[in-house]
Amino acid sequence: SEHVSQRRLPSRHRFFADLSQCLFDFVIELLPTTEEMAVKENVRKLLERLIRTIEPESRLLSFGSTANGFSLRNSDMDLCCLIDSEERLSATDLVTMLGDLLERETKFHVKPLPHARIPIVKLSLDPSPGLPLGIACDIGFENRLALENTRLLMCYAMIDPTRVRTLVLFLKVWSKRRKINSPYKGTLSSYGYVLLVIYFLVHVKNPPILPNLQQMPPLRPISKEDTHLAGYNTWFFDDIELLRTRWHSDNNESVAELLIDFFRYFARDFSYNTGVASIRAGLLKKTAKGWQNDLSSSRYNDSRERNRLCIEDPFELDFNVGRCVTKDGIYTIRGEFMRASRILANRPERAVVALAELCA
Ligand code: ATP
Ligand code: MG
């Protein structure tokens, strides 16, 4: 009734304001310290110097969360080695040689994986005063698409830093605490969760919180050579200074409202069976991408297991970022979205308590 809704409004707003504040406070505590960032940058420089003794023309660049603005305390370091010379060693040989070198010259625990689908060297460092939890680092080679998708996510983070970063960082912590952030165990990578958030803010929210950077017209004509990498179109509008003055979202929802709505959407509304979340093109059909679960035929068993949760990579359009998610994995993830939705829908008396329960 009129009377009830009038009485409920202020408390509803108060809850959103409280929860938003709690979310900011919660993620701020979990950001990396400047000291940690400095140590990581020094590690990168040291590794780059060492790699140059094998490949003088190489550069070691940071990607993933350390470079896209979505980094939490003690997150791992993703490094990519680019080699500018024409004649270079194969990734397999480089991984083997670099593994040997790092084993000899550094205190890192070294694990070269020269024969992996994407050859990498895995490194870890034991805890020290500057890095109480040590460091974990992967070095890959020539992964230029990953550098580009990192830059895309960073641009999205910069358009509306408060709302985007708070949401993403909270969901990363939440998914780790709830143990649904392990592609090796059939759930979704951090990268996958970040794409779901961007998809939600660009395509589900109306009015949108973020523009679609991949569909904005370029300021000046650009040639195909300048936009394509390994056959994929990696162009996106990246003039963030300009965007910050020109883009204005008509959506003023608070972080709390967006989070609640995000959980509700992925608990209830997203069409897991037929839909593909694409930050480039919105909601697509699995059938249109050839990613359908053909339940009637065991011949498609493999594709069925790979395409339970479909998230299109922003550039590698034939790559499903959610392909590691198993039948159990999707059941668990969706169950977690429902649980979170339920906890927040009750609008508990104290937002802090709700957050604690959410991540318990
Ligand atoms: P965390 O802080 O949890 O390590 P992160 O942002 O570094 O999170 P990761 O899942 O570690 O996210 O991914 C790091 C980077 O590796 C991503 O930004 C992306 O560039 C690349 N990447 C990871 N997974 C995939 C994938 N399935 N497909 C394509 N690129 C990926
Ligand atoms: Mg990472």
Side-chain angles (χ1 to χ4, degrees):
S1 73
E2 182 88 332
H3 177 67
V4 170
S5 69
Q6 263 180 11
R7 266 211 327 214
R8 275 176 59 183
L9 249 179
S11 86
R12 184 167 159 263
H13 282 299
R14 196 161 356 95
F15 175 69
F16 291 149
D18 282 356
L19 182 60
S20 296
Q21 189 60 50
C22 285
L23 285 164
F24 297 133
D25 298 344
F26 185 84
V27 300
I28 278 186
E29 286 295 309
L30 299 168
L31 294 179
T33 59
T34 38
E35 185 180 19
E36 178 183 330
M37 291 195 289
V39 172
K40 284 184 168 166
E41 177 56 15
N42 285 336
V43 167
R44 189 197 63 77
K45 284 195 191 127
L46 167 87
L47 294 171
E48 187 175 62
R49 244 189 318 111
L50 288 169
I51 293 181
R52 283 182 175 164
T53 65
I54 304 176
E55 271 288 2
E57 304 292 307
S58 59
R59 286 176 288 157
L60 194 60
L61 305 176
S62 185
F63 68 103
S65 60
T66 16
N68 66 19
F70 298 132
S71 165
L72 295 164
R73 209 163 279 193
N74 311 310
S75 62
D76 62 358
M77 256 177 115
D78 302 295
L79 296 173
C80 168
C81 177
L82 294 184
I83 299 154
D84 298 320
S85 76
E86 287 298 308
E87 53 210 86
R88 53 168 179 254
L89 295 163
S90 71
T92 304
D93 291 343
L94 255 172
V95 162
T96 309
M97 288 174 71
L98 185 60
D100 291 345
L101 178 73
L102 295 175
E103 193 104 57
R104 276 200 315 272
E105 302 284 331
T106 69
K107 285 182 290 190
F108 284 102
H109 302 287
V110 184
K111 187 174 176 194
L113 299 173
H115 302 294
R117 187 175 65 91
I118 300 169
I120 55 167
V121 182
K122 283 181 133 351
L123 300 177
S124 61
L125 205 55
D126 289 330
S128 64
L131 276 173
L133 291 170
I135 216 170
C137 169
D138 291 351
I139 306 178
F141 296 86
E142 291 296 323
N143 198 355
R144 292 177 197 257
L145 283 167
L147 293 170
E148 286 306 303
N149 67 42
T150 296
R151 215 164 57 79
L152 176 68
L153 298 184
M154 183 194 69
C155 286
Y156 275 121
M158 285 166 69
I159 295 171
D160 189 338
T162 313
R163 290 191 289 184
V164 177
R165 290 187 68 206
T166 308
L167 272 177
V168 166
L169 290 172
F170 178 76
L171 283 161
K172 276 176 68 169
V173 184
W174 169 81
S175 62
K176 284 176 206 254
R177 298 244 178 110
R178 299 302 301 169
K179 302 193 165 54
I180 49 170
N181 180 267
S182 315
Y184 302 107
K185 292 183 194 152
T187 57
L188 189 61
S189 65
S190 295
Y191 180 59
Y193 284 102
V194 180
L195 292 178
L196 290 184
V197 177
I198 307 286
Y199 162 79
F200 175 77
L201 298 177
V202 175
H203 298 284
V204 180
K205 286 317 297 185
N206 188 13
I209 302 284
L210 294 171
N212 184 337
L213 295 180
Q214 292 174 275
Q215 305 288 353
M216 291 177 69
L219 292 172
R220 45 194 126 38
I222 19 177
S223 67
K224 197 168 179 228
E225 297 85 79
D226 291 338
T227 58
H228 282 64
L229 200 59
Y232 298 108
N233 183 358
T234 58
W235 188 84
F236 63 94
F237 193 95
D238 63 355
D239 190 335
I240 295 306
E241 280 315 307
L242 194 70
L243 259 184
R244 285 223 258 210
T245 55
R246 298 241 185 111
W247 167 259
H248 166 79
S249 171
D250 291 321
N251 189 323
N252 293 319
E253 282 174 73
S254 62
V255 176
E257 285 168 280
L258 293 172
L259 180 70
I260 292 169
D261 214 27
F262 175 90
F263 282 136
R264 186 172 41 217
Y265 177 79
F266 284 105
R268 211 182 57 186
D269 302 329
F270 181 71
S271 37
Y272 289 89
N273 286 333
T274 57
V276 177
S278 160
I279 69 171
R280 175 191 61 97
L283 182 65
L284 301 175
K285 288 256 173 272
K286 285 186 187 179
T287 46
K289 300 211 51 109
W291 288 354
Q292 61 273 29
N293 309 332
D294 189 337
L295 295 166
S296 62
S297 163
S298 57
R299 238 172 8 112
Y300 292 89
N301 210 16
D302 184 45
S303 116
R304 183 163 87 229
E305 207 42 63
R306 276 191 286 110
N307 295 320
R308 299 267 175 197
L309 173 59
C310 291
I311 305 169
E312 182 189 71
D313 186 84
F315 304 131
E316 272 179 277
L317 303 187
D318 44 8
F319 185 76
N320 174 13
V321 175
R323 80 207 164 107
C324 296
V325 179
T326 57
K327 186 179 178 208
D328 280 355
I330 195 64
Y331 182 83
T332 313
I333 291 172
R334 207 170 167 185
E336 285 296 333
F337 286 139
M338 290 175 189
R339 172 183 178 273
S341 226
R342 197 170 57 239
I343 291 173
L344 294 175
N346 292 336
R347 280 194 225 128
E349 193 64 40
R350 299 191 48 221
V352 198
V353 179
L355 274 197
E357 186 183 349
L358 216 54
C359 294

